[in-house]
Amino acid sequence: MKSIPAPVFLLCLLAVLISVPVVEAREPDSTLARRIAEHADTLMRGSSNSSTYRMTIVRPEWTRSITMDSWERGKKLSYMEVTDPPRDLGTAYLKRDGQMWTFLPNIERTVKIPPSMMMDSWMGSDLTNDDLLNESSLLDDYGHELVGADTLDGVAAWHVRLIPHEDAPVVWDRIEFWVRQGDFMLMRDEYFDEKGRKVRTMSYEEIKTMDGRRIPTRWVLEPHLKKEGNRTVLEILDVDFDVTIPDRYFTRQHLERSR
Amino acid sequence: MGIFIRIAWRNLWRNYSRSLIMIGGIGVGLFGLLVYYGISNGFINQLVEVSIELELGHVQVTRRGYYQHPVQSNSFTPANSLMERIESVHGVRAAAGRLSAAVLVNSAEKSNRVDLVGIDPEREGRVTSIRNMIAQGEYLGPGQDGKIVIGRKLAEHLGVGLGDKLVVMTQDSENELQSRLFRVGGIFETNSPLWEKTAAFITLRSMRKLLGRPLQLTAILVRAEREKSLEPIVAGIDSLVTGEGSALEVFEWKEVSPLLAQSIEMFDFFVWVFYLIIYLAMAFGVVNIMLMVVLDRTRELGVMRAIGTTPGQVMTMVLLEAALLGVAGIIVGGGAAWLLNGYLAANGLDLGRWADGMEFMGLGSVIYPRIEPLEWLVSFLSAEAAVIVSSIWPAWRSAGIEPVRAIQFE
Amino acid sequence: MILFKLAWRNNWRHRWRSGLTAAAVVFGLSITIWGFCFTEGSHEQIIRNSVESFTGHVQVHRKGFHDDPSLRKVFYPDSQFVPELEGGVPGLANYSFRISTFGLASVGETSFAAMIVGIQPEREQEFIHWDRKIEQGRYLHPGDINGALVGADLAENLGIGIGDTVIIVTQDYYGSLCGALRVVRGTVRSHARELDRGGLLISLASAREMLSMQGMANTAVVMATGSEQVPQLISELDNRLGAGGLEVIGWRRIMPDIVQAVELDNVFGILTNLILLLVIGFTVLNTFLMSVMERIREFGIMRSLGASPGRVVGLIVVEAALLVGLGFVLANIVGIGASVYNSVHPLDFSEMGGDELSKFYGMDPRIYTRLTWQTLVYPNLFVAVVILLALIYPAWRAARISPAEAVSRRH
C-alpha cells in the first residue's frame, strides 16, 4: 500500500496548508486544486520540523499509546525516538535514502527493515513501515481535480480529487480529500482502490494554534475492508516548524549513540 | 501357416463363452493398466510442465553458486553474443536470459512476496511455455515494460484483475528500496498452485531498470531439440562459458531439481510394478483357459498328431489361438481405455475434492491423462507378449500329446 | 456331508484348473492385503512425521486463536490447563506449551521474516524428538535462556552458523518493539518446510522474558498415545477445557492438506487393487463356468433323479467355497506373513530415488507396512465380493439345467 498519510508527510502537508492562507477562498477554479497540491509539495520538500506526538493504537480488545519525538528534513531524512511508555523508551527509527533502520535499546543493536517487511505494521499500528518511508509526491505522482463545493460534518468544504499518474508507484485508484472553505484546513482524506472500495480514511480534528500556525492536532486513521474496529490516532503535542536540525541527527551513529 | 490360423480362429468360437471370459480378463486388465498409466503420466506431466516448461528449461547457465544462494547479487553479465553462441551448440533449440529477484507485490488490499522474473519476451517464448499458459489478457510483448504477468492464485489473493495496478517493491543493487508501478497485462494458469501464487513476470528491460542492474542476468535457460541426451549440450555450453572466466556453471534440469527427477523415477517404478502384477494376474487366467482348451481337445489333437501333424505345429496352433484371444482382448480393453483416456484428456479429471491434498503434493487439482502413441504400442505389444508367454506351458503340454494315447482316451 | 465329498472330488478331478484358480486367488488377495498394509503404513508414517515434525496430534489455544492468531490471545497454563487435566486424561501421552509469534531474524544488514517459537526443550524432546532434527550443532539444553535453534535454510540465508549471534526483532505482548540477542546452538532440518525456511526456536522461558509474557502461552501441543485415540482425546479435552475459553483442535484440522493427500492416495490404492481383483475375478468366473458347462449332463441326471435346482447350485457353491476357501486361507497366511515381515524389515526406497521425495514429503525413505484389522478385513471382503459376483452366472446357469437339455446335449 503505497500511500501518503505518514506522520512525516502529514506534518509537512499540514504545515503547508496552514502556511498558505494567502490563497484566499475565492471561486473554485481549475487551478485551485493543483495550487493546493503544489504548495504542499514544494514546502514539503524544503520543510523541516521537530515535533512531539502521541500515537494511540485502538484494537477491539486493547488500546495503547506511544509518545515520540520526531525530527525531519524534507522527504528523505527523518529520525524518531520513543519517549513513553518506559518499556519503549529509546526505541528509535532512522529513515535515510530510501532505507529504514530501527534501534533497539534493550539490546543496543540496529536492525535494517528489509523490503519484505515494508507492508508490515509499524509498531503495531495501522500504519505500515512503507507509510513512513514512502517518498511519493503529491505533485509529481498525482493529477488534481477540484470536484466542487461540499459540506462535511456541517462545514463548507472544497472537495479535491487526486488521481495518480499512469506510472506513479501508487496502488490507489484515487484519493478524495476535503479542505475547509475559507482557510483550506484539511478535514478528511479517503483512499480508494480500483474496485472503487474505500480502503482507508484519515480524519483531521481539533484545530489548534501551534508554533504560530493553525493546524489540526488530532488525526484518526481508520482502515476498512475487514479491519473495522481498528483505529490509529495521532495527536500532535508540540511542533516547531522550520527549525535547523544538524546533519548528524540523520546518521547511523546518532541512531546508535549510547543514551 | 494359414491353415493353422484358420483352425485357431475357428476353435476360438467353438466355446465362445470361454473365449469371451478370457477376452474380458485381458481387456479389463489392459484397460485398468492404461487408465492408471494415463493418470500417473498426467501427474508427472504436470510436474514436468511447471518445472521444465516454465521454471528451468532443459539446461541452465548461472553464476557459480546461484542455486545454493539464489539472490539477485549472484547475477552475472553475459559476454557479447553469448546467447547466439549457446544457440549454435549442436542440439540447442533456443536460449533465453532471465533476471530474477524476490520482491514484494502490493495491491491496495494486500501484499505478497513473489519471485519476480524479468524475461526477454521473444526469446523466452522459444524456451519456455509461459506464453501458452496465459488464460486472460496477453503475454508480454517486447515493448510492454509497464506490464506484469501474474498467476491466477496471486491475482485472487491480491484481489486484482487485468489492467489493475500493482506496486512492486524491492531492494536495488545499491540496497535502496525501489517502488515501481506495473499493470496486470496477463494472468497465467498452470497446474501448480504454489507456482501460480509465487511467480510473476515483467520484461527483462524493466527488471534491469528496477534492480539497477543494466546488463545482468541471473540465469540463461536453454531448450534442447530433444529432451534426452542433454550431456553433450551441457558439455558444449560448458566449453563456451569456461572462456567467461569460469564464474559460470552449467546444469541439467535434473541437477537443479532432483526432486522432480526422483518423482519421475518413482512413478516409473510403481507403474512398472503395477504392469507386472496385472500381467501375472492375467497369466493365471490365460494358463487356466489354455490348459482347459488343450485338455478339452486331447482327443482331437491326438487325431491330428496321428494324421501327421508335428508337435511343433500343434503347439503353434495353440499359441496362435491364445494370440488371437490376446488381440481381441487388447482391442476391447485398449479401445475402452482409448475412449476414456481421450475423454479425460480433453475434459480433465477433476480431483477438486482433494485440492489441498494435491497442493500438498505440488499439484493442481485437475489431471489430464496422457499416453504417447509409442506408449500405447508398447502396452499393446507387452500385453500380447504376456498372453503368448503365459500360453507356452499349455501349448507345450499340447505338443506332448501322443497319437496312441489320444485314441485310447475315454 | 455328501455334498462336500462330491465337491471335493470334482475339484480334485481338475486339479490343474482348481490349483490355478486357488493360486490366482492367493496371488490377488495376498497382494491386496500386503498393498493395503503398505499404503496404511506409509500413510501412518506421513501423518506421524507431520505430527511429530511440529504440530502434535492436538493443539489447544485460546478460543479464536486458530482462525485469527494474535499474540494477545493467550492462556495461563498453570491455572487454565494443568489443573483441568488432574486425574489423567485417557489417551493423552504428553503435552507441552509454546508461545509462537512472527518477527524478524537479523544479522548485520541482512534480515528475514521468522516464525519465532518458544518451546519447553525437555518436554518437547519427549515427543517432537527435536534432537533428531538437528542438522548442525546441538539441541537446547534445559535452562538455556540465551540459545536458539534456527531453521537450516534460514541459517543459510542469514549466513550464520553455530555460535553466531542472531538478533530477533518482534513485538511483545504489549505491542512494544522488542529485540533479543540469541546464540545459535543448532540448525534444524525438520520436515516442515516453514520451519526450515523461517523457524527460530528459543526456550519458552526465554520467549516469555523477551515478550513480557510471564506465565502465559498461546499454544499447548498435545500428543495422544496413538493416532486412533485422537478423536476421544479431542472430545475429552474439549469437555474439560472448553468452559475455560480454550479451543481444542486436532491434526486433521491443523493439516487438512495432508489428510486429503492421504485420502486421495487411498482412493488410488483401492482403484488399482480393484483392477487387479477384477482380472482375478475373470479367472475365477472362467473356472466356475467351465465346471458347470462340462457337467451339464451330470447335473441333468442329478435333476432327473429328483435333485432340486437348489441342490445343484448348492453343489457348485460348495465346490467354489472349498476352492476359494483354500485360496483365502493361503492368501491370508502369505499376505499377513509378508506384511508382518515388512513391518519389521521395511522397504527401503532411498536407493531408487526415494531420497529427495522423502525429504520433500517429510518421510523416512524406509516404509514399514502396518497391519490393522481394516487392512485385513477390507481386502478379504473385496475378494469375497468379486468371487461372489463371478459365481452368480455359473450358479444361475447350473440352476437352469433341465434333464431334457442335459440329454439333448452330448458332450
Side-chain angles (χ1 to χ4, degrees), chain C residues 102-374:
Chain C
F102 290 91
L104 204 59
S106 174
V107 174
E109 287 279 288
T110 323
S111 305
F112 285 93
M115 176 173 74
I116 300 152
V117 188
I119 60 168
Q120 295 180 290
E122 309 98 287
R123 291 198 74 113
E124 288 215 358
Q125 170 52 28
E126 286 172 34
F127 57 99
I128 300 286
H129 309 297
W130 283 109
D131 61 340
R132 293 184 205 157
K133 302 182 174 82
I134 300 294
E135 191 172 69
Q136 276 172 42
R138 60 164 175 82
Y139 185 54
L140 291 176
H141 286 322
D144 184 351
I145 292 286
N146 296 316
L149 301 175
V150 182
D153 297 333
L154 178 61
E156 199 169 288
N157 286 334
L158 286 169
I160 49 173
I162 311 306
D164 290 344
T165 299
V166 59
I167 303 175
I168 305 175
V169 184
T170 183
Q171 280 166 15
D172 69 9
Y173 182 72
Y174 301 97
S176 299
L177 195 74
C178 64
L181 298 172
R182 294 292 182 267
V183 179
V184 180
R185 305 281 190 230
T187 60
V188 174
R189 175 73 66 193
S190 71
H191 290 310
R193 273 166 273 172
E194 317 84 72
L195 203 60
D196 297 354
R197 278 187 205 161
L200 210 157
L201 303 165
I202 54 180
S203 74
L204 182 65
S206 160
R208 281 173 166 169
E209 190 201 287
M210 177 175 90
L211 302 168
S212 314
M213 292 175 73
Q214 288 314 322
M216 303 181 207
N218 57 21
T219 305
V221 181
V222 183
M223 212 65 181
T225 46
S227 55
E228 299 84 7
Q229 271 72 49
V230 173
Q232 296 116 278
L233 182 60
I234 292 174
S235 65
E236 180 66 27
L237 286 175
D238 201 38
N239 283 342
R240 299 196 189 197
L241 301 169
L246 299 186
E247 188 174 23
V248 183
I249 291 160
W251 66 269
R252 283 175 176 276
R253 242 182 96 192
I254 306 172
M255 305 179 287
D257 50 347
I258 292 176
V259 175
Q260 281 196 0
V262 163
E263 226 179 277
L264 187 66
D265 195 47
N266 270 330
V267 171
F268 272 92
I270 289 171
L271 284 180
T272 48
N273 276 309
L274 213 60
I275 294 166
L276 169 66
L277 295 182
L278 277 177
V279 174
I280 300 290
F282 274 95
T283 304
V284 176
L285 169 64
N286 177 58
T287 301
F288 294 160
L289 193 60
M290 288 310 113
S291 122
V292 170
M293 298 305 278
E294 67 194 16
R295 283 187 291 160
I296 288 179
R297 231 174 111 188
E298 182 185 327
F299 290 140
I301 292 165
M302 272 176 76
R303 287 296 310 283
S304 57
L305 291 175
S308 65
R311 193 168 162 80
V312 173
V313 171
L315 182 66
I316 297 290
V317 169
V318 172
E319 255 181 65
L322 276 178
L323 198 58
V324 170
L326 183 73
F328 266 69
V329 171
L330 285 175
N332 278 295
I333 291 171
V334 174
I336 294 172
S339 301
V340 169
Y341 178 82
N342 285 132
S343 68
V344 184
H345 307 276
L347 275 96
D348 195 339
F349 287 89
S350 54
E351 284 301 307
M352 42 152 294
D355 248 11
E356 290 292 324
L357 279 176
S358 59
K359 245 190 262 164
F360 183 77
Y361 292 116
M363 285 174 54
D364 190 331
R366 290 166 308 163
I367 295 186
Y368 294 84
T369 50
R370 185 161 186 266
L371 189 70
T372 67
W373 69 268
Q374 281 127 322

Side-chain angles (χ1 to χ4, degrees), chain A residues 2 115 166 172 194-195 197, chain B residues 109 159 165 171 179 181:
Chain A
K2 197 71 186 177
E166 264 309 289
W172 314 115
E194 290 182 291
K195 293 198 180 82
R197 296 178 299 182
Chain B
E109 196 181 336
K165 292 174 168 193
Q171 210 161 291
S179 306
L181 179 87

Side-chain angles (χ1 to χ4, degrees), chain A residues 4-37:
Chain A
I4 299 186
V8 184
F9 170 76
L10 286 166
L11 279 170
C12 305
L13 177 63
L14 285 170
V16 171
L17 290 171
I18 285 52
S19 63
V20 201
V22 217
V23 189
E24 280 301 324
R26 309 169 287 165
E27 281 300 296
D29 62 52
S30 57
T31 57
L32 182 57
R34 179 167 174 86
R35 284 178 63 191
I36 292 173

Side-chain angles (χ1 to χ4, degrees), chain A residues 1-2 97-99 112 115-116 118-119 130 133 164 166-173 193-195 197 199 225-226, chain B residues 104 106-111 113 158-161 163-167 169-171 174-177 179-181 183:
Chain A
M1 276 182 263
K2 197 71 186 177
D97 304 329
Q99 301 179 67
K112 187 180 166 186
S116 60
M118 277 305 142
M119 284 303 132
D130 181 60
L133 198 53
E166 264 309 289
D167 55 349
V170 170
V171 291
W172 314 115
D173 178 61
D193 71 6
E194 290 182 291
K195 293 198 180 82
R197 296 178 299 182
V199 180
L225 301 183
K226 292 178 212 159
Chain B
L104 198 66
N106 312 303
S107 67
E109 196 181 336
K110 274 195 182 126
S111 69
R113 256 159 267 184
L158 295 172
V160 294
D164 285 352
K165 292 174 168 193
L166 287 177
V167 171
M169 283 181 181
T170 186
Q171 210 161 291
E174 307 287 312
N175 283 336
E176 261 198 55
L177 186 75
S179 306
R180 194 71 45 97
L181 179 87
R183 281 184 187 273

